[in-house]
Amino acid sequence: HLKNYKPQISHFLVGFYIIQTVLETSECLYGNDGLLPARWQLRYSGKALWEQLLSSPTLLWLAPRLGLDTQTAMELLCLLGAALSLAATVLESLRDSLVFLFLWIIYLSMYQVGQVFLYFQWDSLLLETGFLCVLIAPVTSLRGWRAGREHDSVTFWLVRWLLFRLMFASGVVKLTSRCPTWWGLTALTYHYETQCIPTPLAWFAHQLPVWWHKLSVVATFAIEIAAPFLFLSPLRRLRLGAFYMQVLLQVLIILSGNYNFFNLLTLTMCLSLLDDEHIYFWLRKKYTPNPNQGFVVEIAVWALIGFGTVTWFDLQINWDEGTVSSRTVFTFHQFNQFLKTVTFPSVWLGALSLTWELVSAMFRCACVEGFFKRFLGTVQWTVFGAAAISMFAISLVPFTFIEYDSNASVWPGVRQGYDAVSRYQLVNSYGLFRRMTGVGGRPEVVIEGSMDKVTWTEIEFMYKPGNLSAPPSVITPHQPRLDWQMWFAALGTHAHSPWFTSLMYRLLQGKTDVIELIQSDVSQYPFHQQPPMYLRAHRYKYWFTKTLADGSYPQRWWRRVYIEEFYPTVYLGDTFLESMLSQHGLKSLPRHVSEAAVPQVVKWVRSQVRGVSAPLLLWSLLFCSVTLCLLRGLQLEITLKTKPTAAKAEPKHTATPHHPDAKEANSNDKYGLGQRQEEGREEEEEEQQEEEVDAQEDERRGEDEESEREENDVRDEVEEEEDGEEEEGSVD
């Protein structure tokens, strides 16, 4: 494994979050009786299997060859991905490059047939991050490749570059969209109540004064536009400052809104900004720090960011009222000129930063002693260095989408490479919250059902706002795909959301799979005993209620006003409904249910979790995984405390360079973190230890974690090197 902690933490978190979206691609959305059956995306045209895979890369093309229908194949892939991801969170040996490759292929297979319900920016981000994990994670199945991984910093740099592209583009598009709320710094006065699925804390944040909301927008611009350039800085304290700024932003978003795994995944990528010294500080481990350099430069950079923020947004403190006034003093033309000035230089800054990582890794390979190890390290450096350069090059195309002239200047060869791999979602363009919607009130679609066309009953969803007295939900890291699309549907007409006609049709039919998208506990659905005879949909505008004049809280969370009819009254056999189904190709013939063993097993597994809410299921899996990891850690600590070592009785051996234990520890330093910490050691001592390292290499490779942790407690001054050995599962 990698020779520090941050990649290990990233592997753990990214591996788990791949589960969470894979679990959501259920039969309710894509099954034979779902809203948008996935089999519609797999038109068998008689082409060869390889041609079908090239045109639409998904494993679901293999379903007929295995005797499975599309629905069963999707559920089987979901179960395999979930089981493998959960196992990887518990077993370190499964955090392997091949495991991440399989998880990425599974999710890409779902993405290809996910249609509108799976085309979010965070789905693309998860695919890109998942592919980077294939490059970063160790190949533990190949014994020789575990010996030297001097290229680790090169591949891990790609995560930092992805984080830069994500945050910088998200800040820039807010201003390039010319949205008046972002330019007027009033976006957050609407955001908390108009976001898709707010949390209860969003209600309280909405009550804050306007000057505070405007100041928060200014801080958002500083964090998303200025701070990302510090990601590529060679000065560690600049990167640490940028890290904590990003953590603050992401945590506040998590507290005020339900954005599934997106912010958690972003926090994971932020770990690429840390170094080993800071990780050891978190873990309260001993670490020999590097001498602090560039202090004057760091102060100058922070002063420049502060001065620019105050100047560009005219920040002024009103001491009498205790407020801070702010306004945007630059124009769109000036910002566009700024963007033209910094976009392409930022590309060269990224290229320079990557070159530094490549040269540093090459130098580390050249310093490895032993011809075979040096040769193997050089081969690995060449392969992964070429992969990193290729990923960086093709990422320039989507990155420069933020500025037209810069995008037009991208080299034709790079553009051709991007076009060749675009279907695999290896790199993507980003830009979140481009425009603020719901400025005049958040639009909501409310579906009503009736048995007699006289008495109408509202159909409430589990998560989206509907009932005025129901508090907002907390469902992170789950994303209810239907609830999200209901929010988008309310922004336009039903003609812009063809799937809405399919929803009305399935509810009239009383399809349980679709009803579970609205209420996982079917008994809470008002028409669970008999489907409604008639359905209709109205559009309302919702607003958060405000605190009362005496400072007390109101009894309701929301207030609403009726706007218009969204979908006319329909029933089974209705002419309008039939025409809409035919127009959008949504009407399908019933499918035969297979009686084979695999479909029946998959059906049984689904029945075991039927009726359980998705957030509860996800948090249960997470709790079980964390509990198992904690139990293993406690067992290891107890073992170490109850097994005294011989070295504790003879502490002087830890300071004797000729003692076998000391020789082993010192030899490890040459290939681990200790190379930086003990640079002052004499070359003669390292040469004396080399022969013994080669003789004991195979024996040490088979040692378990307990014995390695034992040696760490004995030798405090090399505790960090032994910890690195423990995480990697191998030495050298």
Side-chain angles (χ1 to χ4, degrees), residues 675-687:
Q675 184 177 8
R676 297 195 307 269
Q677 301 172 5
E678 299 185 21
E679 291 178 344
R681 291 193 174 184
E682 299 178 352
E683 293 185 2
E684 293 80 1
E685 181 180 340
E686 294 180 352
E687 293 175 356

Side-chain angles (χ1 to χ4, degrees), residues 196-209:
C196 184
I197 304 179
T199 66
L201 286 179
W203 186 91
F204 294 93
H206 184 71
Q207 313 303 321
L208 294 173

